[in-house]
Amino acid sequence: MSAPRVRALRGATTLDVDERDHLIARTQEVMAAIFERNALQEDDLISIVFTATSDIHSAFPAEAAREAGFTHVPLMCARELEIDGGIERCVRLLIHAYTDRPAERLRHVYLHDARQLRTDLPE
């Protein structure tokens, strides 16, 4: 195996409704899938940037990471661009981590209606 390098992983999910518990559950779901598919642990992380579309008001997506126990990872939330025809109630993640996987073996994760953002990726 090669030495760990800094890599970026992407993920996204959508909400059926803008409710705090639903946002927390869906955000934790996509995070868990990214971690599982890429064999990551909290100690591998550098930071996570979350974005949310302007129709999400119930909670910060970063709260989901804190509630899942990620207490030593820098987290940031930002507003997604409002683009005509964009996906509604969408949370996106950009995870910076150390991994020994080459870029072509990284598994980005798009769940629920966010799958349409990357139809080229396997589920």
Side-chain angles (χ1 to χ4, degrees):
M1 288 195 175
S2 62
R5 296 183 62 177
V6 174
R7 300 281 188 201
L9 288 149
R10 286 292 318 270
T13 190
T14 55
L15 309 180
D16 297 329
V17 292
D18 181 24
E19 294 176 355
R20 184 184 187 286
D21 289 346
H22 186 60
L23 178 138
I24 299 297
R26 286 281 175 97
T27 304
Q28 287 177 349
E29 175 189 33
V30 71
M31 288 180 66
I34 292 169
F35 276 67
E36 180 182 327
R37 293 179 191 183
N38 293 283
L40 292 177
Q41 299 175 27
E42 181 181 2
D43 199 43
D44 299 326
L45 299 183
I46 298 167
S47 64
I48 305 174
V49 177
F50 297 87
T51 65
T53 51
S54 61
D55 49 4
I56 295 176
H57 304 278
S58 59
F60 292 105
E63 288 181 54
R66 292 287 182 238
E67 287 189 15
F70 294 89
T71 58
H72 302 292
V73 178
L75 308 173
M76 179 179 280
C77 293
R79 196 49 91 193
E80 188 68 38
L81 294 174
E82 292 186 43
I83 303 298
D84 292 337
I87 297 174
E88 296 180 349
R89 294 180 306 277
C90 187
V91 173
R92 300 175 200 229
L93 297 82
L94 177 62
I95 298 174
H96 302 97
Y98 292 104
T99 180
D100 57 3
R101 289 181 179 220
E104 64 273 6
R105 287 197 48 235
L106 296 176
R107 299 278 315 275
H108 307 284
V109 177
Y110 292 79
L111 301 177
H112 306 287
D113 288 344
R115 287 185 183 122
Q116 64 187 294
L117 295 170
R118 290 295 306 267
T119 57
D120 60 312
L121 298 177
E123 288 190 35

